[in-house]
Amino acid sequence: VRFRLWIVTVLLAGCCGAAACGESHDVRAAELRDAAGSWAATLRLVTEEWTRGALPSHFVQSTTSVATTELQSAARLVRFTVGDAASAPADEVLARVPLLNEAVARGDRAAAMEIVRALASAVPPKPTPPVARPR
Amino acid sequence: MKNFVKIGLGVVTSIGGFLDVGAIATTALAGAAFGFQLLWVVLLGTGCVILLTEMCGRLAAVSHHSLADAIRERLGFPYFSIPFVGEFLVDLLVLAAEIGGVAVALHLVTGVSYLWFVPLCALAVWAFLWLGTFTIIERGVSIAGLITLCFVVAACWMHPPWAEVARGAIPSLPSRDGVRYWFLAVSILGALISPYLLNFYATGAIEDKWTIKDIRVNRVIATAGMSFGSVIALAILVLAAVVLGPRGIQVDSYEQTVFILTQPFGRWGLYLFAASLGIACFGAALQVSLNLAYVTAQGFGWNWSENLKPHEDARFAAVYTAAVLVGAALLFVGDPLKLTTVSMALNAVIAPFIVFPLLVIMNDRAYLRDHRNHAIGNVLVAGVVLIAFAVAVVAIPLEVLGG
């Protein structure tokens, strides 16, 4: 009886642990997806503001630099804990950052807008409506 | 007329004291992540801080004791050492965040890494403290801090849905991301009920030589000053909810918060944001550095006054010099925004150790004579103490899970 109890306990603990790890993996992947969407939206807005002359080009480049640093470290963690596939949204953003930097350095506003529009549709952000009681 | 001038200057100073890197960062984070849902926390924090600063000012005006001084004298050095150590460590983190805020403001305008500006900003803070007087620090920087009113103008300019904004004033439970919601609520409370602000306010009243005659002035300054400061913090939350949230932008760096002013003001928005952040953080860095020196000097019975020459209170000057050095050094270890959110949550942890003794002292005839707390005042402060304790208990777990 003691042996069976021991096995049941180990199995229960294993199930709980697996469930917790599984949930944690899902949560981590979802967090990275949200972060990538947020940075894609940021790059779109910063480029729009640069295009209309509201922000200087050095500001766009420092924003892309922060986005790269943040997403690289988040993607590394998710790749290590969840798997390579889970870091796809971040990789999508990271792949387009050099192209955006080049377009901004050239002063090519149309190309820059094209890149960030494509990025925003590839990695859609999760909007929060400006309300007090979201549904 | 003299009182009106005093009130006007006091209100302006209180606005400067209220708004710092913590208030700017936490309200921007909250607005971007939860729309207007956390607006009630700003109102709750404002109510608490009005109550507490009014009491600290009354304590100073009647007994000529600062909060640290009174805690040490009334409850003894062993008790005093608990909030002292906590406040000293947390204030160092807050100081680092404030110096980081000034450096980030310069980085936003120039594009040069903020780390290059950290030594320069620390030197400027130290030079102001070394060469300036309390009046220059209190009023000069606070008057310059009125530039932060641009957030209020921008919030009106963006035509937010005012009915929804008003609904945000009613407390509500989170519909998603509960841990993050409560973490931000705790951080906002920590940013608004800053322990450094309480002792600095009381010490400022002593530096300004307040007497019993100034009790009414104190009441008006505490209420109006903190309320105006709160309006600016609310404006930042509303702007983040209107500009960043609908686009799905979460605030992970200061670069993302600039949009709240570039959307309404175009290119001027960047400069206004950088100036607001820089001046608010510079003022707060001066206040936190001074408070570190005040608390230490008052705790150990040293000479202290920002109006004295550094050689007349050498240990006082040595403490703020060392604090500025350590604060600047911390920025080479941690990111300014993350440092800000962590230090604001830790502010919430140490708050009850400072708020509870205040309740005891405010009922002591030896200190307050006929100006002790009334029953309603005591009930309200007991409520603040309970909130402070609840927030302190959950702050660390929330920091780990949701920070």
Side-chain angles (χ1 to χ4, degrees):
Chain A
V1 174
R2 241 184 235 168
F3 181 69
R4 275 182 199 161
L5 262 176
W6 187 80
I7 286 180
V8 169
T9 311
V10 169
L11 280 174
L12 269 174
C15 289
C16 290
C21 290
E23 191 188 342
S24 162
H25 285 177
D26 288 348
V27 169
R28 276 185 189 154
E31 276 174 1
L32 182 66
R33 212 164 40 238
D34 290 349
S38 163
W39 279 111
T42 303
L43 294 181
R44 181 173 180 160
L45 186 54
V46 79
T47 308
E48 281 172 7
E49 295 289 65
W50 171 69
T51 306
R52 73 178 179 115
L55 288 172
S57 31
H58 74 69
F59 191 90
V60 184
Q61 275 152 352
S62 68
T63 307
T64 55
S65 163
V66 178
T68 306
T69 314
E70 292 278 328
L71 285 176
Q72 272 175 346
S73 67
R76 204 176 302 128
L77 181 71
V78 167
R79 250 181 247 125
F80 181 70
T81 53
V82 185
D84 285 352
S87 71
D91 296 337
E92 188 88 36
V93 180
L94 289 168
R96 292 177 207 225
V97 165
L99 302 175
L100 178 61
N101 276 336
E102 279 169 26
V104 172
R106 284 199 312 270
D108 189 344
R109 288 160 203 265
M113 278 310 297
E114 192 63 38
I115 293 164
V116 289
R117 267 194 216 112
L119 182 58
S121 50
V123 189
K126 200 168 101 181
T128 304
V131 293
R133 304 276 184 282
R135 286 180 190 173
Chain B
M1 187 61 196
K2 202 177 162 189
N3 272 356
F4 279 116
V5 174
K6 208 179 226 180
I7 287 172
L9 286 168
V11 168
V12 169
T13 308
S14 301
I15 295 172
F18 189 93
L19 203 74
D20 64 352
V21 71
I24 294 174
T26 54
T27 48
L29 276 160
F34 292 99
F36 306 125
Q37 219 183 342
L38 280 161
L39 206 132
W40 65 273
V41 182
V42 180
L43 296 177
L44 175 68
T46 307
C48 295
V49 86
I50 287 173
L51 263 176
L52 299 174
T53 48
E54 188 280 326
M55 289 197 299
C56 290
R58 186 153 36 102
L59 171 70
V62 178
S63 73
H64 305 292
H65 279 74
S66 72
L67 183 55
D69 212 2
I71 292 176
R72 180 185 53 83
E73 197 177 273
R74 175 69 174 77
L75 302 171
F77 193 83
Y79 179 87
F80 169 77
S81 61
I82 302 169
F84 169 69
V85 171
E87 186 171 349
F88 197 92
L89 295 176
V90 175
D91 277 4
L92 280 176
L93 287 179
V94 177
L95 177 59
E98 305 293 356
I99 294 174
V102 186
V104 166
L106 292 168
H107 153 74
L108 293 175
V109 177
T110 59
V112 178
S113 167
Y114 73 91
L115 288 172
W116 288 103
F117 293 112
V118 169
L120 194 72
C121 297
L123 185 67
V125 169
W126 176 82
F128 242 77
L129 293 170
W130 189 266
L131 302 170
T133 62
F134 188 80
T135 312
I136 291 173
I137 288 169
E138 187 190 31
R139 291 178 187 164
V141 182
S142 299
I143 289 169
L146 286 179
I147 195 169
T148 51
L149 286 171
C150 67
F151 289 115
V152 182
V153 176
C156 297
W157 193 301
M158 293 302 288
H159 299 295
W162 290 112
E164 281 297 325
V165 175
R167 285 179 71 195
I170 301 162
S172 62
L173 292 172
S175 53
R176 61 182 170 83
D177 282 350
V179 175
R180 187 155 173 72
Y181 178 92
W182 290 114
F183 172 72
L184 284 173
V186 165
S187 299
I188 292 172
L189 287 175
L192 301 187
I193 314 172
S194 306
Y196 87 80
L197 182 62
L198 303 182
N199 193 59
F200 186 80
Y201 188 89
T203 309
I206 297 169
E207 292 267 35
D208 285 339
K209 299 186 173 56
W210 280 11
T211 61
I212 291 180
K213 286 181 194 162
D214 293 306
I215 283 183
R216 277 191 189 165
V217 171
N218 165 53
R219 200 164 293 154
V220 177
I221 289 174
T223 310
M226 297 302 157
S227 302
F228 279 123
S230 161
V231 169
I232 300 172
L234 288 171
I236 296 170
L237 189 146
V238 168
L239 279 168
V242 172
V243 175
L244 305 178
R247 289 177 171 84
I249 297 175
Q250 303 298 314
V251 178
D252 291 313
S253 88
Y254 281 105
E255 274 83 356
Q256 290 165 303
T257 48
V258 170
F259 304 126
I260 64 174
L261 288 189
T262 57
Q263 281 283 300
F265 298 140
R267 187 148 199 157
W268 280 101
L270 171 66
Y271 300 121
L272 281 171
F273 184 87
S276 301
L277 181 70
I279 293 170
C281 293
F282 190 76
L286 293 174
Q287 292 181 359
V288 180
S289 317
L290 270 184
N291 188 58
L292 277 159
Y294 283 138
V295 171
T296 312
Q298 288 160 4
F300 290 98
W302 301 342
N303 264 1
W304 61 267
S305 175
E306 179 54 11
N307 293 323
L308 293 175
K309 298 276 178 215
H311 67 82
E312 291 172 314
D313 51 3
R315 286 177 290 192
F316 174 79
V319 174
Y320 66 64
T321 303
V324 170
L325 273 173
V326 174
L330 283 172
L331 281 162
F332 289 91
V333 186
D335 166 76
L337 186 61
K338 290 185 177 93
L339 212 54
T340 304
T341 50
V342 169
S343 59
M344 293 309 131
L346 291 177
N347 255 342
V349 175
I350 61 162
F353 295 101
I354 291 156
V355 176
F356 179 67
L358 180 62
L359 181 61
V360 175
I361 291 162
M362 292 310 290
N363 285 286
D364 194 327
R365 184 179 279 277
Y367 288 90
L368 275 298
R369 286 177 269 168
D370 296 332
H371 300 279
R372 283 168 296 154
N373 275 0
H374 294 296
I376 298 171
N378 276 333
V379 170
L380 290 173
V381 182
V384 176
V385 171
L386 281 177
I387 292 171
F389 268 110
V391 164
V393 168
V394 297
I396 298 290
L398 286 174
E399 171 73 49
V400 174
L401 294 168

